[in-house]
Amino acid sequence: MTTSKTLMGLMIVAGGLVFYLYQAQSRETEQNLLITALSAETSAVDALTKVVVSDGEQTFVMQEQPSGWTLNEGFYVRMDSLSDWIQALKNARLMEAKTANPDNFPSLSLTEDDLRVRLYQKQQLVADIILGQTSSTPGARFVRYADQQQSWLASELNDLQSSQETWQLAMIFDVPESQVQAIEWTADETLNLIRDSDQWQLAGETAAGQSIAQGQLVTLAAAISGFRIQDAIASNSPPEPLRQSFVFGLAQGRKITLAVYGHEDEAVIKVSDSAQPERYEHWQFTVPDYKLSTLLMNQSDIFASETENGDQPEADESATGSS
């Protein structure tokens, strides 16, 4: 009986010790988080409404809007970059306390003018972090809370960089050519092109006697693959004239429209996407020359010549006299 009570007492003590150690470890883990406000969030970006990243004279203000996150009240943010940043900040852990002497901050890039990120939830500031130089300790970077003098080494942050290219959306679409099922091409006339068993052909009455240069159509269908912009211009009035337009029909009824306006030296592209009808409504874009040349293709370029069809031209009888 005494032995049973002793064993029971030991089990209770052991259970209590395990629970205490678990709680202590949980508290320590939470205390080591760089930003505790993000710890419980499954999607850290969804928990935020504004992110401000500054570095010297450059400031990038990213704010959630109904149509998506915008950059400096202009065009849209690269969400892959924003997600990578916020995920890294969420995962970051404080590793070791370092200097608290402000005289050392310039050499460690820990001043208020160095790389700094501020996170907001419903307009309330929840984190203000200065990201300094990387450390000789593997995977570590110097950091400092902007309102504190104590600096730290923190993990997970070494890959974070800031620039216009980092933050502004450049790739509007990246739809594989194989997913384009139809193209409505309006220029001198309207051509309706459909893909049938990986072969492009004209639909309707215009198809009679016409053979399609398949390579040209593959190039055209690839126009929305890797579709990057150079400049985003806020405007509702593109320059005249409308050169030509393309409606790319995709699976499940989605349609992407690209319209080319203006003369070649000032050409801009207006874009619409049935999946997000209002997203690009007030914008026009310049694109790289190689993409513009595809969108300025002549309609006559898609019709195969007799040679391309494998037909040989008939011999000229006047050139084959009898001997």
Side-chain angles (χ1 to χ4, degrees):
M1 186 70 173
T2 303
T3 302
S4 298
K5 288 183 178 180
T6 301
L7 289 173
M8 181 65 72
L10 289 173
M11 290 176 65
I12 292 173
V13 171
L17 180 61
V18 168
F19 178 77
Y20 171 79
L21 292 174
Y22 175 79
Q23 291 291 95
Q25 184 178 13
S26 298
R27 286 195 299 272
E28 183 180 356
T29 300
E30 183 172 333
Q31 289 171 356
N32 287 344
L33 287 170
L34 176 65
I35 304 175
T36 56
L38 300 179
S39 61
E41 304 294 342
T42 302
S43 175
V45 172
D46 291 344
L48 302 173
T49 55
K50 185 167 75 169
V51 176
V52 179
V53 178
S54 57
D55 190 1
E57 295 182 355
Q58 283 192 317
T59 299
F60 301 100
V61 179
M62 290 159 275
Q63 193 147 7
E64 186 181 29
Q65 303 290 349
S67 59
W69 282 75
T70 59
L71 177 63
N72 293 338
E73 298 184 341
F75 195 54
Y76 297 106
V77 171
R78 275 188 60 179
M79 291 307 297
D80 58 335
S81 295
L82 182 59
S83 296
D84 289 346
W85 261 70
I86 302 307
Q87 194 62 41
L89 291 166
K90 176 185 175 181
N91 294 337
R93 296 292 190 273
L94 299 176
M95 301 167 63
E96 179 184 351
K98 302 302 286 185
T99 182
N101 184 352
D103 292 338
N104 295 328
F105 292 167
S107 63
L108 298 174
S109 300
L110 288 175
T111 72
E112 282 77 6
D113 292 328
D114 290 305
L115 185 57
R116 179 175 180 178
V117 56
R118 279 160 279 195
L119 308 181
Y120 295 81
Q121 291 178 334
K122 296 181 179 179
Q123 307 309 314
Q124 179 179 356
L125 181 67
V126 295
D128 189 351
I129 311 290
I130 298 171
L131 306 177
Q133 295 182 2
T134 57
S135 167
S136 57
T137 301
R141 185 171 190 165
F142 287 94
V143 301
R144 180 170 72 86
Y145 298 104
D147 61 349
Q148 299 178 19
Q149 291 190 352
Q150 179 65 58
S151 67
W152 300 80
L153 285 184
S155 64
E156 307 291 338
L157 304 174
N158 284 5
D159 293 334
L160 300 187
Q161 304 293 332
S162 177
S163 67
Q164 185 77 16
E165 292 73 24
T166 300
W167 297 120
Q168 181 165 297
L169 178 65
M171 185 177 292
I172 304 295
F173 304 113
D174 191 16
V175 180
E177 170 269 330
S178 59
Q179 292 186 16
V180 179
Q181 303 300 311
I183 302 173
E184 181 184 292
W185 181 357
T186 301
D188 298 329
E189 58 181 309
T190 297
L191 302 179
N192 290 292
L193 301 136
I194 56 173
R195 187 199 295 269
D196 184 16
S197 301
D198 287 332
Q199 291 291 307
W200 284 97
Q201 60 187 33
L202 276 169
E205 295 179 0
T206 55
Q210 301 282 6
S211 183
I212 299 299
Q214 296 297 317
Q216 294 287 64
L217 260 296
V218 168
T219 299
L220 182 57
I224 54 176
S225 173
F227 186 81
R228 292 180 177 274
I229 64 169
Q230 290 180 321
D231 296 305
I233 306 161
S235 175
N236 292 322
S237 303
E240 295 294 339
L242 170 62
R243 302 283 292 277
Q244 48 190 7
S245 65
F246 305 87
V247 181
F248 298 88
L250 311 180
Q252 299 179 341
R254 182 185 177 191
K255 292 183 178 181
I256 292 173
T257 301
L258 305 181
V260 185
Y261 287 86
H263 298 291
E264 191 164 350
D265 58 347
E266 60 174 11
V268 297
I269 313 297
K270 288 287 289 182
V271 171
S272 65
D273 181 358
S274 64
Q276 300 170 298
E278 299 178 0
R279 184 169 173 83
Y280 307 112
E281 184 177 4
H282 303 296
W283 294 94
Q284 58 193 32
F285 309 105
T286 61
V287 297
D289 289 343
Y290 74 92
K291 193 67 74 174
L292 181 61
S293 65
T294 297
L295 297 174
L296 289 176
M297 184 187 302
N298 293 320
Q299 288 186 333
S300 60
D301 293 341
I302 70 166
F303 297 115
S305 66
E306 291 181 350
T307 302
E308 289 174 310
N309 285 333
D311 297 332
Q312 297 298 322
E314 295 182 5
D316 185 348
E317 292 183 4
S318 64
T320 57
S322 58
S323 54

